[in-house]
Coordinates of all heavy atoms in Angstrom, one line a residue:
L147 N 73.6 103.1 89.6 CA 73.4 104.4 89.0 C 73.2 105.4 90.0 O 72.5 105.2 91.0 CB 72.2 104.4 87.9 CG 72.4 103.4 86.8 CD1 71.2 103.4 85.9 CD2 73.6 103.8 85.9
L150 N 74.0 113.2 91.4 CA 74.6 114.2 92.4 C 73.7 115.4 92.5 O 73.2 115.8 91.4 CB 76.0 114.6 92.0 CG 77.0 113.4 91.8 CD1 78.3 114.0 91.4 CD2 77.1 112.7 93.1
L156 N 74.6 112.5 98.7 CA 73.4 112.2 99.2 C 73.4 111.8 100.6 O 74.4 111.3 101.1 CB 72.7 111.2 98.3 CG 72.5 111.5 96.8 CD1 72.0 110.3 96.1 CD2 71.6 112.7 96.6
S157 N 72.3 111.9 101.3 CA 72.2 111.4 102.8 C 72.2 110.0 102.8 O 72.0 109.2 101.9 CB 70.9 112.0 103.4 OG 69.9 111.5 102.7
G166 N 68.7 87.9 111.8 CA 69.4 86.7 112.3 C 70.1 86.9 113.5 O 70.3 88.1 114.0
F184 N 104.2 78.2 107.5 CA 104.9 77.1 106.8 C 106.4 77.5 106.5 O 107.2 76.7 106.1 CB 104.3 76.7 105.5 CG 102.9 76.1 105.7 CD1 101.8 76.9 105.7 CD2 102.7 74.7 105.8 CE1 100.5 76.3 105.9 CE2 101.5 74.2 105.9 CZ 100.4 75.0 106.0
G185 N 106.8 78.8 106.7 CA 108.1 79.3 106.4 C 108.5 79.2 104.9 O 109.7 79.0 104.7
Y190 N 103.6 87.1 94.3 CA 102.5 87.8 94.1 C 102.0 87.8 92.7 O 100.9 88.2 92.3 CB 102.6 89.2 94.6 CG 103.8 90.1 94.2 CD1 103.7 90.9 93.2 CD2 105.0 89.8 94.8 CE1 104.8 91.7 92.8 CE2 106.1 90.6 94.4 CZ 106.0 91.5 93.4 OH 107.2 92.2 93.0
A197 N 106.5 87.8 98.0 CA 105.4 88.7 98.4 C 105.6 89.0 99.9 O 105.8 88.1 100.7 CB 104.0 87.9 98.2
F215 N 88.2 89.8 115.4 CA 87.7 88.6 116.2 C 86.2 88.5 116.1 O 85.6 87.4 116.2 CB 88.1 88.8 117.7 CG 89.6 88.4 117.9 CD1 90.5 89.4 117.8 CD2 90.0 87.1 118.2 CE1 91.9 89.1 117.9 CE2 91.3 86.9 118.3 CZ 92.3 87.9 118.2
V220 N 79.2 92.4 114.3 CA 78.4 93.6 114.4 C 78.5 94.4 113.1 O 77.6 95.3 112.9 CB 78.6 94.4 115.6 CG1 78.3 93.7 116.9 CG2 80.0 94.9 115.6
Q259 N 91.8 83.1 98.3 CA 90.9 82.0 98.4 C 89.8 82.3 99.4 O 89.0 81.3 99.6 CB 91.6 80.8 98.8 CG 92.7 80.3 97.8 CD 93.4 79.0 98.1 OE1 93.6 78.2 97.2 NE2 93.8 78.9 99.3
M271 N 89.3 101.3 89.1 CA 90.7 101.1 89.2 C 91.2 100.4 88.0 O 92.4 100.1 87.8 CB 91.1 100.3 90.5 CG 90.7 101.0 91.7 SD 91.5 102.6 91.9 CE 93.2 102.1 92.2
S300 N 92.7 101.5 103.1 CA 92.9 100.7 101.9 C 94.3 100.9 101.4 O 94.9 102.0 101.5 CB 91.9 101.1 100.8 OG 91.9 100.2 99.7
F314 N 105.8 107.5 95.9 CA 106.7 107.8 94.8 C 106.0 108.8 93.9 O 104.8 109.0 93.9 CB 107.0 106.5 94.0 CG 105.8 105.8 93.4 CD1 105.2 106.0 92.2 CD2 105.2 104.8 94.3 CE1 104.1 105.3 91.8 CE2 104.1 104.1 93.8 CZ 103.6 104.3 92.6
W370 N 99.4 102.8 114.1 CA 100.8 102.3 114.4 C 101.6 102.4 113.2 O 101.1 102.5 112.0 CB 100.7 100.9 115.0 CG 99.8 100.1 114.1 CD1 100.1 99.3 113.0 CD2 98.4 99.9 114.2 NE1 99.1 98.6 112.5 CE2 98.0 99.0 113.2 CE3 97.4 100.5 115.1 CZ2 96.6 98.7 113.1 CZ3 96.1 100.1 115.0 CH2 95.7 99.3 113.9
A372 N 103.5 100.3 111.5 CA 103.3 99.2 110.5 C 102.0 99.2 109.7 O 101.9 98.5 108.8 CB 103.5 97.8 111.2
S377 N 99.4 96.4 107.8 CA 99.4 95.6 109.1 C 98.2 96.0 109.9 O 97.7 97.1 109.9 CB 100.6 95.8 109.9 OG 100.5 95.1 111.1
M380 N 98.6 94.8 116.8 CA 99.4 93.6 117.3 C 98.4 92.5 118.0 O 98.6 91.3 117.8 CB 100.4 94.0 118.4 CG 101.6 94.7 117.8 SD 103.0 94.8 119.0 CE 102.2 95.8 120.2

Side-chain angles (χ1 to χ4, degrees):
L147 296 177
L150 300 181
L156 299 178
S157 60
F184 295 86
Y190 52 101
F215 285 90
V220 294
Q259 298 183 138
M271 301 299 292
S300 189
F314 56 91
W370 47 92
S377 174
M380 289 192 299

